[in-house]
């Protein structure tokens, strides 16, 4: 049997697991493995400037491609850099495998040594310390098996001296997919379907909320049929925003980011049917969105206590499509007419601005709502949209008529600074597709070094910055408490000039009527573009107003 270095065998096993795209920053702990990976035909490696971004890009790649995301970092300081991205991936149930080195097994001392396992497990990820040459490839299979079946990030640590040892080349590696049982779709229990049908029969004002499970199961049309049969309205969670936008009785987003017209309807709902949605605190807006509704949940993994709050009143534990179809079969075949609930003017109301509060903006600044409305008109409806974080994300989430498949938002763990990485991961997953990132100035600046990565790898992204010159989320809360906002205000530098400094395109956008021409210019170009919109820091989003009201009530 010929022998090869362990790092080579490890790379071969990753490729056998279907790895095709790698996000990496190299050091002693992973450089040999990375070169062995890159030597495989068909592997694309994105070399980034900060390990956090490798992990965050791989996360977005996994979400956008449906594959396991692959990132790699070196041992010690490389690994400690990815804590935030790892925790986010764990909370978002993103399948990820991170190849990390470990410091040498046989050294008396190594300056980069740290106990890696507790760092990784504290983030909610799984750690595999791979120290046995005999088990080395089995551990790669275990890592991918766990990532795929538990939807959990896994870090494999292999000591860098061990990586150089020789093992027999194994041509018969069987990937983890060969071991995942095919259980078929999960069907609903008939007795529970009958009870669900009775709940639906007794309700008059129903809202069907679709989540990620609807997209994954291909249950969108079935949900619409359920709504049309029962005279219900439709809504979606934020991650699949736009799911029912084309439907005349859609309320858009359910949750803290709801349109004011949707919020008023939700308050009157007497039954919410949550399909493939885990009823997070975001979706139920901390429990305040539909206080008068009974909740029926159709989900493969219903949780009775999501985010510390009561989950559903009745549950169908099954796939989204199976459950909705079973419920439809148990309901009267004739569509029910509920004219007082399905009023004709909903679509007109929803087409209006999501928040109508009156604010006067300072001269030389835009109202972020006006910017987003203009962008929504100027940017073609089928472009990929990445929603980032910060106060401004309320405004950017309000774009309409864009399908859930072309929208990416990973909000778990609540970190800012991921927008660029998520847009890059999405662009890597969908080559040739136009990608738009809408981010705040603070979020963009946190990992601005990745602009260089975008340029070097030719990733073309349109970055729209809602630039309030501040950490908006902080200044509004500080002001509500009567405290100085000096530590969260930075002023509005020229982010267009900054982009040009990176060899990209960019400008400060004043007159919004230039947007159609600017979209055309971006389409013609072959580089990332930054549009810097100076937005007022006086316009406050509804969720922020709610937070501020709570702060004021406290004092
Ligand atoms: C990693 C991390 N650090 C700090 C915070 C606290 N934080 C939440 S929003 C925010 C401001 C973001 O600023 P920007 O991207 O400009 O958006 P804006 O709120 O101004 O619209 C900060 C600092 C966080 N959520 N995550
Ligand atoms: Mg800001």
């Amino acid at each position: 049997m010929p022998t090869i270095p362990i790092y080579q065998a490890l790379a071969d096993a990753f490729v056998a697991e279907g790895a095709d795209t790698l996000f990496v920053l190299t050091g002693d702990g992973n450089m040999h493995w990375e070169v062995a990976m890159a030597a495989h035909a068909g592997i694309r490696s994105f070399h980034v400037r900060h390990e956090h971004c490798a992990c965050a890009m791989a996360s977005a790649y996994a979400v956008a491609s449906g594959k396991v995301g692959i990132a790699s970092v070196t041992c010690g300081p490389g690994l400690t850099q990815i804590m935030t991205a790892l925790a986010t991936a764990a909370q978002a149930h993103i399948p990820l495998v991170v190849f990390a080195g470990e410091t040498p097994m046989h050294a008396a001392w190594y300056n980069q040594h740290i106990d890696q396992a507790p760092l990784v497990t504290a983030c909610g990820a799984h750690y595999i310390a791979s120290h046995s040459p005999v088990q080395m490839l089995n551990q790669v299979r275990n890592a991918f098996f766990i990532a795929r079946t538990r939807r959990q990030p896994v870090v494999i640590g292999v000591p860098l001296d061990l990586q150089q040892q020789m093992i027999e080349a194994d041509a018969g590696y069987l990937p983890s997919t060969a071991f995942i049982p095919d259980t078929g779709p999960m069907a609903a229990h008939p007795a529970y379907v009958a009870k669900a049908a009775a709940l639906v029969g007794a309700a008059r004002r129903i809202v069907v909320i679709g989540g990620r499970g609807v997209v994954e199961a291909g249950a969108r049309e079935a949900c619409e049929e359920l709504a049309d049969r029962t005279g219900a309205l439709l809504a979606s969670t934020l991650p699949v925003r736009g799911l029912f936008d084309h439907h005349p009785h859609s309320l858009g987003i359910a949750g803290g980011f709801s349109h004011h017209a949707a919020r008023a309807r939700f308050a009157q709902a007497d039954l919410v049917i949550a399909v493939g949605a885990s009823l997070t605190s975001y979706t139920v807006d901390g429990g305040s969105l539909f206080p008068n509704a009974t909740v029926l949940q159709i989900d493969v993994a219903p949780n009775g206590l999501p985010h510390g709050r009561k989950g559903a009143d009745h549950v169908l534990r099954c796939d989204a499509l199976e459950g909705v179809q079973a419920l439809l079969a148990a309901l009267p075949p004739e569509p029910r007419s509920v004219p007082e609930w399905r009023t004709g003017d909903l679509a007109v109301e929803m087409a209006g601005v999501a928040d109508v509060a009156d604010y006067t903006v300072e001269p030389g600044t835009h109202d972020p709502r006006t910017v987003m409305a203009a962008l929504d008109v100027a940017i073609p409806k089928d472009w990929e949209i990445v929603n980032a974080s910060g106060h401004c994300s309320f405004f950017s989430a309000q774009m309409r008529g864009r399908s859930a498949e072309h929208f990416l938002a990973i909000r778990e763990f609540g970190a800012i600074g991921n927008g660029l990485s998520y847009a890059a991961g999405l662009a890597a997953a969908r080559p040739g597709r136009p990608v738009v990132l809408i981010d705040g100035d603070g979020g963009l600046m946190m990992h601005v070094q990745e602009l260089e990565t975008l340029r070097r790898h030719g990733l073309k992204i349109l970055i729209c910055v809602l630039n309030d010159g501040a950490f908006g989320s902080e200044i509004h809360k500080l002001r509500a408490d009567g405290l100085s906002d000096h530590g969260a205000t930075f002023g509005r530098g020229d982010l267009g000039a900054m982009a040009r400094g990176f060899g990209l395109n960019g400008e400060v956008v004043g007159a919004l009527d230039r947007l159609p021409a600017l979209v055309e210019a971006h389409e013609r170009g072959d580089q990332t573009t930054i549009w810097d919109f100076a937005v007022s820091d006086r316009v406050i989003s509804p969720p922020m107003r709610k937070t501020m009201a709570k702060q004021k009530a406290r004092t």
Side-chain angles (χ1 to χ4, degrees), residues 67-148:
K67 300 176 188 169
V68 176
I70 315 288
S72 180
V73 299
T74 192
C75 52
L79 191 276
T80 54
Q81 299 270 48
I82 66 168
M83 298 294 95
T84 304
L86 213 49
T88 304
Q91 292 194 16
H93 304 291
I94 296 175
L96 212 61
V97 175
V98 181
F99 181 83
E102 270 190 17
T103 53
M105 289 182 83
H106 301 296
W109 174 83
Y110 197 83
N111 64 340
Q112 294 183 327
H113 184 75
I114 193 167
D115 191 2
Q116 296 188 167
L119 289 163
V120 169
T121 55
C123 293
H126 187 84
Y127 191 73
I128 297 178
S130 203
H131 293 184
S132 159
V134 179
Q135 291 300 320
M136 201 52 79
L137 301 187
N138 288 342
Q139 296 289 36
V140 175
R141 182 185 302 119
N142 288 342
F144 277 87
F145 189 87
I146 290 166
R148 289 191 160 110

Side-chain angles (χ1 to χ4, degrees), residues 440-442 466 468-472:
D441 49 316
L466 297 179
D468 61 357
F471 286 159

Side-chain angles (χ1 to χ4, degrees), residues 141-234:
R141 182 185 302 119
N142 288 342
F144 277 87
F145 189 87
I146 290 166
R148 289 191 160 110
T149 56
R150 292 193 209 155
R151 294 172 76 125
Q152 190 186 17
V154 181
V155 178
I156 308 184
V158 187
L160 61 94
D161 52 353
L162 192 58
Q163 291 180 37
Q164 300 295 335
Q165 286 187 21
M166 305 298 281
I167 56 171
E168 285 183 359
D170 177 6
Y173 180 87
L174 267 181
S176 59
T177 44
F179 298 85
I180 299 173
D182 177 7
T183 55
M186 195 191 294
H189 190 287
Y192 287 69
V193 175
K195 184 172 172 196
L199 284 175
V200 172
R204 290 295 293 172
R205 296 180 303 280
I206 303 174
V207 183
V208 177
I209 301 178
R212 273 199 188 114
V214 169
V215 174
E216 281 165 16
R220 181 172 61 76
E221 284 90 353
C223 287
E224 289 173 22
E225 194 184 336
L226 177 62
D228 292 340
R229 188 89 69 81
T230 58
L233 307 179
L234 288 149

Side-chain angles (χ1 to χ4, degrees), residues 389-392 414-416 439-444 446 468 470-474:
S389 53
H391 175 243
C392 59
I416 68 163
D439 206 346
D441 49 316
L444 181 77
M446 187 169 272
D468 61 357
F471 286 159
S473 294
E474 277 60 38

Side-chain angles (χ1 to χ4, degrees), residues 423-481:
L426 175 70
R430 300 187 180 171
R433 292 278 305 144
V435 177
V436 183
L437 163 67
I438 302 151
D439 206 346
D441 49 316
L444 181 77
M445 295 301 279
M446 187 169 272
H447 279 297
V448 76
Q449 76 283 344
E450 300 307 327
L451 288 175
E452 192 276 331
T453 304
L454 298 185
R455 190 191 55 74
R456 191 167 19 86
H457 283 291
L459 291 172
K460 178 181 167 183
I461 294 163
L462 174 56
I463 302 171
C464 304
V465 186
L466 297 179
N467 185 356
D468 61 357
F471 286 159
S473 294
E474 277 60 38
I475 57 172
H476 298 304
K477 293 176 201 163
L478 288 165
R479 289 172 187 171
D481 276 342

